[in-house]
Amino acid sequence: MSPRPRKLYAGARLRDLRQRDGHSQREMAARLRISASYLNQIENDLRPLPPALMLRICENFGVEAGYFDDSHEMRRLQLLREILSDPVFKMPLRPQDIDTALRAAPALTDHFIALYRAFRTLRGERALAPATPAPASPAPASPTPAPPDSEPVARAPYEAVGDWVQQQRNYFDEIDRAAERLYEEADLGSQSRGAGLERHLLDRHGVRVATEGDLAAQGLVWRFDRRGKRLILADGVPGESRNFSLAQIVGRLDCARLLDRSVRRSGLSGEDARALARVSMSNYFAGALLLPYERFRHAARETKHDIDVLQRQFEVSFEQVCHRLSTLQRPGAEGIPFYFIKVDVAGNILKSFSATRFSEARFGGLCSLWNAFQCFATPGKLLVQLSQNTDDAVFLAVARTVGQPPTSYFERGRHVAVVLGCSVAHAEDIIYSAGLNLADRRLYVPIGPGCRACTRTSCRHRALPGSGFAIAVGNDERGVVPYRMGGGTAHARAFSGG
């Protein structure tokens, strides 16, 4: 039996679309032939967005149906499940109770998530702080003024920037279009990418490119000498990485104000977060310059998203193609909504962006069944997986390791896994679905958000019990996992045993 479709609450996305076109609720309602009060209820998530009305909105406002997916709500739901699986909560809520709370009070749940992040930050700082003996007598407290532009307990800058990029669906329209225009104006497609970028830097900015062998030993890829107008690249850097470095500098010189404006609009507090955001926008511009939106989107569709073919066509790396595919969210010209994740062998997530409902664990361990980890056993080989989330959504995902081999016996090579995936609904447009029997549910790999937050009760690969479930443990029977998970309550029910 197919699962009952979830109601779609897309109030924030609908409000953004209305404000983008400068309409009032009354004006938009008249255009859609509905009442203004009904539109207000949908925008405030008091009513779901019906499929028929969604199609009417797409026709009238030039967006595709993927614009209204509920990926943000699914990520928020998973965060709540992970948070409430923390042992600090003595009585975890049942999964259905969490879902009800999210639907009833989305703003309150956002505050709760922020509060838990602050709690984890303080707990981590306390664990790292050296133990100090208590003073013999209490000293009078003197208030220490907070540094300017700081929050009482801020998110880690790297996490804050990642959340901001995800909120923008990993698409920045002004930057993307500026990079696309520059690609055409500079005629970068008339010769090799590297030669074209070097020519542009020299002709427009008087910047020369040089190579220096000592940079790599210092852990650097490039250094920009503004006064001497020289871009110094590390020796031995692969061609696609060299081109990306050139494109980063082009963005900083040609579009500095545009990149800074995007950072100012982000609302990020703290100089560290804003500095990381500038790097992120510089990287985004570089990707958009090397892979201009319409040219790349057309090529991706023509090749059925064959990553190896796109690599050769645009002179970029496997990772650069995957990341760019996850950014094709231009309103009215969307590509397939992909998720993109970069992870190391220890399970640390280095990058994560999703235009789909797929979401990885943020506060706990990742699922061991995920092909991100399997590909470390076969470096360089592309693995295809049909994965099924706990909400029954099925994804087609490819994973492969990327990295540089060591240059000597004493060097430790760095390899990470890159995962690119999308809903199986787009499988016919993806070359990696060739030969797969998509109707055979036995091929689906049941993955979850991490054991504590996972709602699968019969998984043979569990490392920890799921939160919010009863645990049955006894000596009369034994499975692969030394306990069974039931439903209803978090209180353990023991078997009677000898």
Side-chain angles (χ1 to χ4, degrees), residues 144-216:
T144 302
D149 203 22
S150 68
E151 298 176 355
V153 180
R155 288 173 293 172
Y158 197 81
E159 183 181 69
V161 173
D163 288 346
W164 168 58
V165 173
Q166 179 61 63
Q167 288 167 8
Q168 307 304 313
R169 295 172 63 85
N170 198 21
Y171 176 72
F172 297 86
D173 190 71
E174 284 186 306
I175 296 176
D176 216 298
R177 292 180 186 276
E180 192 173 28
R181 286 194 300 271
L182 182 57
Y183 178 93
E184 301 297 341
E185 293 169 2
D187 196 21
L188 294 180
S190 63
Q191 53 187 306
S192 72
R193 292 290 190 275
L197 291 167
E198 286 194 40
R199 171 178 52 80
H200 177 79
L201 284 171
L202 182 60
D203 292 349
R204 179 171 292 191
H205 303 288
V207 173
R208 298 184 179 275
V209 179
T211 302
E212 185 176 304
D214 293 340
L215 279 187

Side-chain angles (χ1 to χ4, degrees), residues 125-143:
E125 291 174 352
R126 183 175 180 180
L128 292 174
T132 55
S137 58
S142 57

